[in-house]
Amino acid sequence: EVVDRHIPPPQAYTSRLKSGQAVGAEFNFDIQDAPNLEEVEAACQMAADIWGSLIYSPIPINVKLIFADQESGTLASTGTPWPPRLIDNNGSLPGRFYVQALSEKFYRLNLNGSNPDMSMTYNRNVSWYFGLDGNTPIGRYDFLSTLLHEMAHGLGFYGYFYVDDDGIGDGLGIPNAFDGFFEDKNGNLLADTIAFPQPSKKLGDALTSPPVYYGSSIVEKELTEETILPKMFIPDPWRGGNSLYHLDLIYDFKSGGRDALMTYSTGTGEAIHDPGPIATYMLYEIGWVHTFIDVDTLKDRESVGEPFTVVAKIKGDQGIKANTQRLFYSFDGFSSTQSAPMIPTGNPDEFKADIPVSGTGTTVNYYVQSEDIYDRLYTMPAEAPNNFYRFHVGPDTSPPGIEHSPIASMIVTNDSVLVEAEISDNLGLAETKVEYRLNGVDQPSFDLVFDTLAHY
């Protein structure tokens, strides 16, 4: 249907343009079979700048975009690499599956080279409007709006729940990050496999019985005018490609349609160039605004002569909440817990606190905690105190661990061989050497040089 509406880009985008500030995330597009390459490239650049002004990642996001024939009524579709990655060190969430682009952010590594982190197909038979001004003619579909929508799916507005033709619902068991926030009208999490077994008719009923909400604490905190949590589109029967992973159609009308981008359909003449605060905050929940906690963990010691100082780098994409950085520790396996505030060291984003160890024969468990500006609680390790770091103070009775693949042979024309080993120790290593014989005769030993990750 015709929708004569234009919603301009978000304030974050226009503010960055005026200030010249760098985007928080970069996108690389591989565009194939575009009907008008220059116009498509311009739209991709604007979409990249809009999403890049809202999310954060140190790793560029690779997007493959192709125009091809699709069935009538479909504008576009998006997929992400399979399988998703299981990550258990998010800091604020338990172990969850994540889409490729978000996994790379958490690892702070490019995990798949130049391969796409999301792949999009756009219907070449649609009458597209490639302009960027929002003046989309009646009878044509705004390409930039659809591009922003599909990019949201590739960023993680996406999941793995489904219902088959017999009404049986299923998922991954361990949910992906987005699926982990869905709840029914009573606040029961749909990813709770005790309450909603997978597969089961009970889960299928829940996925086709509105309302289903997205339990976003950030929406509750930031959008106080919203009287309900984000409400998802839940038709009955299940409609693959539409159900659950789009906002309810009420957002086509609420607040002038500011959150309409992530509803399941759009009309000709409609241009929505703002993802909307609800969808943006939903993506923040799964990690597109994140706090990294890197702890310089303590090794075992034989004496208490030096302070036991825990140092951590704590940095949030949008900052952290002041005076919430704490060190929690226990001498009895967290039957009881003590804590100390972590104070700035003077180095950027670095905090420290001491653990008072009174004598030898002591085992200490500990973890670090901080809150972000949205009051989300992060711990490292994640899910503390069930997970924790530890060290022991007392006589060293544990030898170093050495992993080495013996060298079976060498080419006769070579004059040397490479010796490699993984070596670790609970107190640290004083020296690493190779001792060897030639034809049964002892030779002078030589040092192994530290490479990385205990590799010599």
Side-chain angles (χ1 to χ4, degrees):
E1 62 187 42
V2 174
V3 182
D4 186 11
R5 173 168 57 187
H6 175 216
I7 296 177
Q11 181 63 38
Y13 167 79
T14 54
S15 297
R16 287 184 185 275
L17 286 183
K18 292 176 181 178
S19 66
Q21 184 180 358
V23 294
E26 296 182 2
F27 293 81
N28 298 321
F29 282 86
D30 175 16
I31 303 169
Q32 300 179 13
D33 300 325
N36 189 325
L37 182 58
E38 289 187 2
E39 288 184 317
V40 172
E41 286 178 335
C44 288
Q45 184 59 60
M46 186 167 179
D49 290 342
I50 289 172
W51 273 118
S53 71
L54 297 170
I55 66 171
Y56 300 82
S57 178
I59 308 301
I61 300 166
N62 296 328
V63 182
K64 181 179 180 180
L65 189 157
I66 187 170
F67 284 81
D69 294 331
Q70 290 192 299
E71 64 183 54
S72 177
T74 298
L75 296 180
S77 58
T78 295
T80 62
W82 179 264
R85 293 181 182 269
L86 181 63
I87 297 176
D88 59 9
N89 62 346
N90 176 299
S92 66
L93 295 177
R96 292 286 184 263
F97 285 106
Y98 288 87
V99 295
Q100 180 71 25
L102 194 47
S103 298
E104 292 187 339
K105 170 178 177 163
F106 289 140
Y107 281 113
R108 289 170 274 189
L109 292 170
N110 181 350
L111 299 172
N112 65 343
S114 60
N115 294 318
D117 301 314
M118 63 181 82
S119 298
M120 303 176 175
T121 303
Y122 288 80
N123 194 338
R124 72 163 80 250
N125 301 312
V126 166
S127 180
W128 292 110
Y129 176 66
F130 293 106
L132 309 179
D133 55 11
N135 297 320
T136 307
I138 301 302
R140 298 176 70 180
Y141 288 95
D142 191 71
F143 178 73
L144 177 58
S145 301
T146 307
L147 180 56
L148 290 168
H149 176 105
E150 296 301 324
M151 290 172 71
H153 287 312
L155 292 170
F157 205 106
Y158 186 94
Y160 301 95
F161 280 130
Y162 69 94
V163 181
D164 67 17
D165 293 339
D166 296 321
I168 304 300
D170 206 353
L172 293 182
I174 297 175
N176 82 326
F178 201 71
D179 286 340
F181 284 94
F182 291 130
E183 56 187 59
D184 67 12
K185 64 182 179 181
N186 297 316
N188 301 307
L189 293 175
L190 301 191
D192 182 348
T193 55
I194 303 299
F196 300 97
Q198 299 180 18
S200 71
K201 183 68 165 57
K202 186 175 183 182
L203 177 59
D205 290 343
L207 292 171
T208 53
S209 301
V212 170
Y213 298 108
Y214 187 89
S216 170
S217 63
I218 300 180
V219 169
E220 287 188 302
K221 175 179 171 58
E222 299 297 316
L223 301 180
T224 54
E225 79 278 10
E226 291 291 330
T227 57
I228 60 172
L229 289 168
K231 187 179 180 184
M232 310 311 293
F233 180 60
I234 306 294
D236 185 13
W238 176 270
R239 287 160 51 179
N242 296 155
S243 292
L244 189 62
Y245 300 108
H246 293 93
L247 291 174
D248 190 86
L249 295 180
I250 61 172
Y251 297 105
D252 277 333
F253 311 102
K254 287 185 68 174
S255 303
R258 70 174 187 182
D259 293 295
L261 183 76
M262 292 313 296
T263 58
Y264 84 91
S265 66
T266 186
T268 62
E270 182 175 44
I272 304 176
H273 297 167
D274 184 349
I278 287 179
T280 300
Y281 289 145
M282 291 167 75
L283 289 176
Y284 284 5
E285 288 281 11
I286 63 174
W288 285 111
V289 166
H290 183 68
T291 296
F292 291 96
I293 303 177
D294 298 310
V295 181
D296 187 6
T297 55
L298 298 177
K299 291 186 176 293
D300 294 352
R301 293 190 200 170
E302 293 190 295
S303 68
V304 295
E306 299 291 332
F308 293 84
T309 304
V310 176
V311 179
K313 290 260 190 183
I314 306 176
K315 182 175 177 60
D317 290 329
Q318 292 184 352
I320 55 178
K321 188 175 180 180
N323 302 317
T324 62
Q325 295 69 52
R326 295 193 72 84
L327 171 66
F328 289 83
Y329 57 92
S330 175
F331 304 110
D332 55 13
F334 285 110
S335 295
S336 62
T337 303
Q338 302 177 53
S339 70
M342 300 193 76
I343 61 174
T345 66
N347 297 323
D349 308 311
E350 190 175 79
F351 299 82
K352 68 176 182 178
D354 290 342
I355 299 177
V357 181
S358 58
T360 59
T362 303
T363 297
V364 182
N365 300 331
Y366 66 100
Y367 65 92
V368 172
Q369 176 178 296
S370 181
E371 293 182 29
D372 71 358
I373 63 169
Y374 298 112
D375 297 334
R376 289 184 295 177
L377 183 66
Y378 286 77
T379 66
M380 193 54 63
E383 298 187 79
N386 293 326
N387 297 322
F388 48 79
Y389 302 116
R390 67 169 297 281
F391 63 89
H392 181 75
V393 183
D396 181 16
T397 59
S398 300
I402 303 175
E403 295 185 17
H404 168 69
S405 297
I407 301 167
S409 62
M410 62 178 288
I411 298 175
V412 68
T413 55
N414 289 352
D415 63 0
S416 62
V417 293
L418 180 66
V419 180
E420 297 179 288
E422 301 282 342
I423 310 175
S424 61
D425 185 72
N426 58 321
L427 265 70
L429 298 164
E431 62 179 20
T432 53
K433 291 182 175 293
V434 174
E435 298 176 349
Y436 70 108
R437 296 187 179 99
L438 287 178
N439 298 323
V441 179
D442 288 337
Q443 304 295 316
S445 62
F446 61 87
D447 292 327
L448 283 168
V449 178
F450 177 72
D451 184 358
T452 182
L453 296 176
H455 185 265
Y456 291 80

